Amino acid sequence: MYGRIFENMFTGSMRGSGAIVFAVWSYVITMMKPDKKVGAQVDINPEVLAFYLGEKQPDVEEAIRVLCEPDPRSTNPEHDGRRLIKIGTFSYRVVSGADYMAIRSEEDRRDYQRQKQAEYRARKKAEKNGELYRDWE
C-alpha cells in the first residue's frame, strides 16, 4: 500500500519530535488499513520495525509511546491529540487514519477523472481533425 505525507506533518505539532518518531509515523501512514470498528488500524512490532529502520528497539518503542501520548498542541482534539491508541499486543488504532484515507481516495478519484477527461478531449480533437485516436501513445 502507500500513504501520503502531508506538509503539516513537518510543520505541525510533531515538529522537533525526532527522526525516529517521524520514521515510525511514516511507517504507520503507509501500513495502516481501514477497519470498520476503529476507522483505521496498524500493527507495529517494535522489534521488527527496529530492524527495518536500522534503529534500536527501545528507541522505536519510545517513538510509539510518543505517538500514543496526548498532544496538547495538536490541531486534532480527538482523543487529546493522540495519534495512536493501543488496541492489542501490536495493534493500534490510527486516530486520524480514516480521515486521511478518505482524502487519499478523493484525490485518487480526482486524478482518475482528470486523466479520463484529458483522454476524452484528445479523442474528440482527433475525431474533429479526422485523425485516428490512439490512447496507448
Side-chain angles (χ1 to χ4, degrees):
M1 195 60 178
Y2 69 94
R4 290 187 190 246
I5 303 293
F6 291 90
E7 176 183 353
N8 65 353
M9 181 171 123
F10 299 100
T11 60
S13 64
M14 278 182 53
R15 67 187 179 280
S17 295
I20 296 175
V21 172
F22 280 92
V24 170
W25 188 239
S26 298
Y27 175 86
V28 167
I29 290 169
T30 58
M31 300 301 279
M32 69 180 169
K33 306 288 186 249
D35 184 283
K36 290 181 182 178
K37 195 174 185 180
V38 299
Q41 73 92 31
V42 66
D43 291 332
I44 310 171
N45 181 327
E47 181 180 1
V48 173
L49 186 52
F51 174 76
Y52 289 161
L53 297 177
E55 298 292 343
K56 294 181 174 83
Q57 183 176 338
D59 295 337
V60 171
E61 290 169 348
E62 174 63 14
I64 295 168
R65 186 189 64 73
V66 166
L67 294 168
C68 288
E69 286 184 340
D71 181 356
R73 299 182 306 164
S74 176
T75 57
N76 183 353
E78 188 177 0
H79 298 285
D80 298 320
R82 289 177 175 85
R83 288 164 181 81
L84 296 174
I85 297 174
K86 191 167 187 156
I87 56 175
T89 305
F90 296 125
S91 296
Y92 295 83
R93 174 184 177 200
V94 184
V95 175
S96 298
D99 297 334
Y100 283 104
M101 284 190 285
I103 292 169
R104 177 176 65 204
S105 297
E106 179 61 22
E107 288 186 10
D108 289 344
R109 187 190 67 75
R110 274 190 255 142
D111 287 345
Y112 174 82
Q113 293 295 338
R114 238 187 319 274
Q115 177 185 353
K116 289 299 175 189
Q117 185 64 31
E119 290 172 6
Y120 172 79
R121 288 180 180 142
R123 187 170 49 253
K124 288 296 181 187
K125 183 178 178 182
E127 288 172 3
K128 182 180 176 184
N129 294 332
E131 300 168 5
L132 177 62
Y133 174 74
R134 291 183 228 134
D135 64 351
W136 62 85
E137 293 179 341

